[in-house]
Amino acid sequence: MIKPTTQLGESIMQLIAAYTNYKDPLGPGVAIQRKGAVRDFFVQQGLISFAIHDKNEQSFDVEIHTTSPSDNVQRAVLSGYLHEAVPKVTEIQMHHECNEWATPCRHEIAALLQLLKECENDPNVILKWRGIELESDSVTEEGPTTSDSSVTSRQNTIQQLRDNMPGRFINFKEEKSNESVLSPDMESFLSFPSG
């Protein structure tokens, strides 16, 4: 069984548990994934597919479709919470044909376990699948950090928001001026009486 080593992996394992109704039918799927029978991994926005070579080298295709992430999910990922990109069970659909009646079948379980492995090896897989674009080309850490690059990234994101939504942000200037921003009537109204 694959043991998740990151928060992203833990979130995918929770997706697998929810997809299987928190039962434990993972055994045959684990065996297929473990022996390296899940091959031909392909990812694009909204779709991940695997070819699973089971007994007698018969190949089964498994496709996992997902919906686009909400704005809240995208904001969480941009803030450094990569595990928020993992879709909920209601946001995925599995497409697979085999002669087994079980749902999920062992091929679907093997594909989900391979998804976990692929995402732990390269977190950019989950981003590409969900269609989330970050400013940098790769992701290596999870969670908010206080490094200079993180601060710069946040500043760039805020600047992009300001550019795309003019008039919704207040710009505070660093230079101080002796001029009052209040009208003379308001200034006299708000000032304390002398005396």
Side-chain angles (χ1 to χ4, degrees):
M1 181 74 146
I2 295 175
K3 297 209 186 284
T5 58
T6 64
Q7 195 169 9
L8 173 61
E10 287 289 338
S11 294
I12 295 172
M13 191 55 93
Q14 289 173 3
L15 170 66
I16 295 169
Y19 188 77
T20 59
N21 272 339
Y22 299 93
K23 297 176 185 167
D24 195 17
L26 301 181
V30 171
I32 291 171
Q33 192 278 331
R34 218 182 245 171
K35 73 178 183 180
V38 183
R39 304 179 198 151
D40 302 329
F41 164 68
F42 173 76
V43 61
Q44 67 182 33
Q45 183 175 342
L47 170 69
I48 286 186
S49 64
F50 301 92
I52 298 168
H53 300 272
D54 205 354
K55 299 175 186 171
N56 302 324
E57 287 301 309
Q58 186 177 8
S59 178
F60 296 95
D61 292 328
V62 177
E63 293 182 347
I64 309 171
H65 296 264
T66 186
T67 60
S68 297
S70 69
D71 291 341
N72 288 341
V73 168
Q74 290 191 38
R75 277 193 293 276
V77 171
L78 291 173
S79 296
Y81 297 97
L82 183 60
H83 66 281
E84 293 291 334
V86 176
K88 309 294 182 236
V89 172
T90 56
E91 297 174 322
I92 65 168
Q93 272 190 327
M94 302 277 275
H95 294 280
H96 169 61
E97 290 182 24
C98 73
N99 54 4
E100 292 184 18
W101 54 267
T103 302
C105 75
R106 58 190 174 157
H107 306 116
E108 293 172 335
I109 293 169
L112 286 167
L113 291 170
Q114 189 67 28
L115 170 65
L116 188 155
K117 183 178 179 185
E118 297 291 341
C119 288
E120 285 214 314
N121 288 343
D122 181 7
N124 290 305
V125 168
I126 193 82
L127 297 175
K128 187 171 184 180
W129 184 39
R130 295 306 305 272
I132 300 172
E133 293 184 27
L134 298 181
E135 291 174 16
S136 64
D137 290 338
S138 64
V139 176
T140 55
E141 296 180 8
E142 286 190 52
T145 60
T146 56
S147 68
D148 290 339
S149 64
S150 175
V151 170
T152 303
S153 175
R154 246 183 272 142
Q155 289 171 342
N156 288 339
T157 301
I158 291 169
Q159 188 59 47
Q160 285 179 350
L161 288 171
R162 283 184 176 151
D163 293 344
N164 292 332
M165 298 189 307
R168 295 195 181 180
F169 287 88
I170 299 172
N171 287 324
F172 293 102
K173 300 192 179 189
E174 291 184 22
E175 42 185 80
K176 294 190 177 188
S177 143
N178 289 336
E179 296 178 28
S180 175
V181 292
L182 300 173
S183 69
D185 293 337
M186 286 300 291
E187 195 170 310
S188 66
F189 177 76
L190 294 173
S191 62
F192 290 106
S194 56

